[in-house]
Amino acid sequence: MKETMKVAVMTGVARIELEERPIPEIGELDVLVRVGYVGVCGSDMALFQNGFIGDSVVQGPMVLGHEASGTVVAVGDRVSTLQPGDRVALEPGVPCLHCEFCKGGRYNLCPDVYFWASLPVTEGAFQEYVRHPASFCHLLPSNVGLLEGALIEPLSVAFHAVDRSGVGLGDRAVVLGAGCIGLLTLLALRAAGVRDVVVVDLVENRLELARELGAETVNAAEVPDVVTVLAERFGAGPDAVFETAGNRATMDQAIHIVRRGGTLTFVGYTKDGRADLNVNLLIDKELTLTSVFRYCNTYPKAISAVASGAVVLDRIVSSIFSIDEVQEGMTRAVHDKADVTKCVIRIAGDAGAGGV
C-alpha cells in the first residue's frame, strides 16, 4: 500500500485544497479504513461558508466531514471484531468512556468526546484513509452499500429524535423542515409506526420528495398562515412536532402547532443559538420540550432498519462529487439548497452487493 493519501483541506473560508499527507498509523485497538463516501452535513456547510459555528472559529487548516463509510484495510493487534475487507459505517464521535455520562449510557453528552470536524477537532473524513477505534466501526450487512453506510450517521440523528420524543404507533406528527434531517426524521417516524405525518418547508422540490416518501406536505411559501392550515388539518393538533430547520420562526410556530400536552423536539441549530419562543403558551399547553444532541446507541438499530427495508435511503442523496470535486460539491451544497437535498463526497465507493 502506498505511504501517502489524498486529503481535502479547508485552508480558508470557502476554499478547499487537495494535499498529500501520510496515511495514519493505527494502534492496537484501531482499524485503518479506506473511506468510501462522506456525507456533507449542515455543520460542514456552516464551517465552509462562514469559518465558524457559534463561538467556535476555525483558526487554521481543517479537514471537514464526519458522515463516513468505508472498507477496513488493516486491523490493530487486539482487534477481533473486524477484519480486512469488512465494510463499515464509522461513528465519528469517540467518547472518553469514563465520565458519568458515558457510564450512564448517554455517551453523546460526554464533555471530552473526540468528534470529527467538530471544533476544536480539525480532523475529518474528507481523506482517503482514516484511523478509527474498532468499537466505533459498525459492520454493514451484505445488502447495505457504502453510500447507504455514510447516511447511517444522519439517520441516527433522526432515530434519536424519534426515540426522545416518545411517539409511536398511531400518533400524528409534523416535521418542520424538509432538508436531509427532516426527511430522515420522516423515515424514522414511519419506521416507528407513525403513519400520519405532515412535512412543512418553503422549497417545493424538497416537499415533492417528502410526498414520495409518504408524507403530506404544506408549502409555507404558498399559505398565509401555517399554524391555521395545520389547525384545520389536525383539529386539536398533532401529538408531536419536530423542528429540524433550525429556524427561529419555526421553533416558535411549533409551540402553536402541537396539541395540548404534546411533545416538541428541537433538532436544528439556529445560526446564532437564539430563538424567541412564546414560553407562556408552552406552559399553558403543558408541553414536553425535548432536544437532540447527535445520538447514542443508535447505529445498530439504524443499520438494521436499512438492511430490513424498514427505511429506504436511496432517494435522499441528490448529488455525488468525487474527492477531486470537493470544492464544487461544498459550493453547490451551500448555495444551491433548493436543488441539493443531500450532497455526498465519493472518496472510494464500492460496487458490492449492497449498492453503489
Side-chain angles (χ1 to χ4, degrees), residues 291-341:
S291 61
V292 170
F293 183 63
R294 297 171 182 160
Y295 39 76
C296 61
N297 303 308
T298 52
Y299 263 65
K301 180 165 65 173
I303 292 171
S304 177
V306 174
S308 70
V311 171
V312 179
L313 297 173
D314 60 356
R315 295 301 314 279
I316 298 297
V317 175
S318 57
S319 306
I320 300 176
F321 296 86
S322 72
I323 189 172
D324 295 325
E325 301 168 322
V326 171
Q327 177 73 41
E328 179 187 355
M330 292 299 301
T331 301
R332 282 280 309 278
V334 168
H335 297 292
D336 196 12
K337 294 179 181 178
D339 295 319
V340 176
T341 305

Side-chain angles (χ1 to χ4, degrees), residues 201-209 211 217 219 222 338:
D201 202 284
L202 297 165
V203 182
E204 183 55 35
N205 76 307
R206 293 186 174 190
L207 292 173
E208 181 179 353
L209 180 52
R211 289 192 290 271
T217 62
N219 190 326
E222 298 179 354

Side-chain angles (χ1 to χ4, degrees), residues 250-273:
T250 51
M251 284 183 167
D252 188 58
Q253 279 181 342
I255 298 172
H256 295 265
I257 292 167
V258 71
R259 70 183 294 121
R260 289 179 175 272
T263 300
L264 302 179
T265 303
F266 285 177
V267 185
Y269 280 95
T270 64
K271 184 176 182 180
D272 60 1

Side-chain angles (χ1 to χ4, degrees), residues 43-351:
S43 63
D44 296 318
M45 290 187 277
L47 290 167
F48 175 80
Q49 182 178 16
N50 305 316
F52 66 89
I53 292 180
D55 296 330
S56 299
V57 180
V58 180
Q59 300 291 346
M62 181 174 186
V63 180
L64 300 174
H66 61 263
E67 303 175 358
S69 66
T71 303
V72 175
V73 296
V75 302
D77 292 340
R78 293 177 57 192
V79 174
S80 59
T81 55
L82 294 170
Q83 60 186 354
D86 285 343
R87 296 171 313 110
V88 292
L90 296 137
E91 187 170 350
V94 181
C96 75
L97 301 179
H98 302 296
C99 70
E100 61 178 299
F101 302 104
C102 289
K103 291 179 178 179
R106 301 183 70 182
Y107 62 82
N108 60 314
L109 301 182
C110 174
D112 295 317
V113 64
Y114 185 93
F115 197 98
W116 280 339
S118 178
L119 294 170
V121 177
T122 58
E123 177 188 12
F126 284 173
Q127 55 190 48
E128 289 184 294
Y129 295 89
V130 293
R131 170 190 57 233
H132 209 54
S135 56
F136 287 89
C137 297
H138 300 269
L139 186 66
L140 294 173
S142 61
N143 65 334
V144 178
L146 287 180
L147 181 57
E148 294 168 307
L151 296 179
I152 297 300
E153 200 276 346
L155 181 60
S156 285
V157 175
F159 267 71
H160 190 50
V162 173
D163 286 346
R164 294 270 293 158
S165 74
V167 298
L169 185 66
D171 287 328
R172 304 185 300 169
V174 167
V175 178
L176 300 176
C180 176
I181 295 296
L183 293 172
L184 290 173
T185 300
L186 163 63
L187 293 178
L189 283 166
R190 292 184 62 80
V194 181
R195 291 292 178 262
D196 192 355
V197 184
V198 175
V199 175
V200 181
D201 202 284
L202 297 165
V203 182
E204 183 55 35
N205 76 307
R206 293 186 174 190
L207 292 173
E208 181 179 353
L209 180 52
R211 289 192 290 271
E212 293 176 7
L213 295 174
E216 293 185 30
T217 62
V218 173
N219 190 326
E222 298 179 354
V223 299
D225 183 2
V226 169
V227 175
T228 299
V229 169
L230 291 175
E232 293 174 353
R233 165 66 171 75
F234 285 103
D239 302 285
V241 175
F242 296 80
E243 204 290 329
T244 69
N247 183 283
R248 288 184 172 203
T250 51
M251 284 183 167
D252 188 58
Q253 279 181 342
I255 298 172
H256 295 265
I257 292 167
V258 71
R259 70 183 294 121
R260 289 179 175 272
T263 300
L264 302 179
T265 303
F266 285 177
V267 185
Y269 280 95
T270 64
K271 184 176 182 180
D272 60 1
R274 301 288 179 177
D276 186 9
L277 305 179
N278 189 329
V279 178
N280 287 353
L281 182 59
L282 186 149
I283 293 170
D284 290 346
K285 295 176 77 171
E286 199 173 76
L287 303 179
T288 298
L289 174 60
T290 187
S291 61
V292 170
F293 183 63
R294 297 171 182 160
Y295 39 76
C296 61
N297 303 308
T298 52
Y299 263 65
K301 180 165 65 173
I303 292 171
S304 177
V306 174
S308 70
V311 171
V312 179
L313 297 173
D314 60 356
R315 295 301 314 279
I316 298 297
V317 175
S318 57
S319 306
I320 300 176
F321 296 86
S322 72
I323 189 172
D324 295 325
E325 301 168 322
V326 171
Q327 177 73 41
E328 179 187 355
M330 292 299 301
T331 301
R332 282 280 309 278
V334 168
H335 297 292
D336 196 12
K337 294 179 181 178
D339 295 319
V340 176
T341 305
K342 184 64 174 181
C343 178
V344 172
I345 307 302
R346 183 184 186 275
I347 310 295
D350 66 358

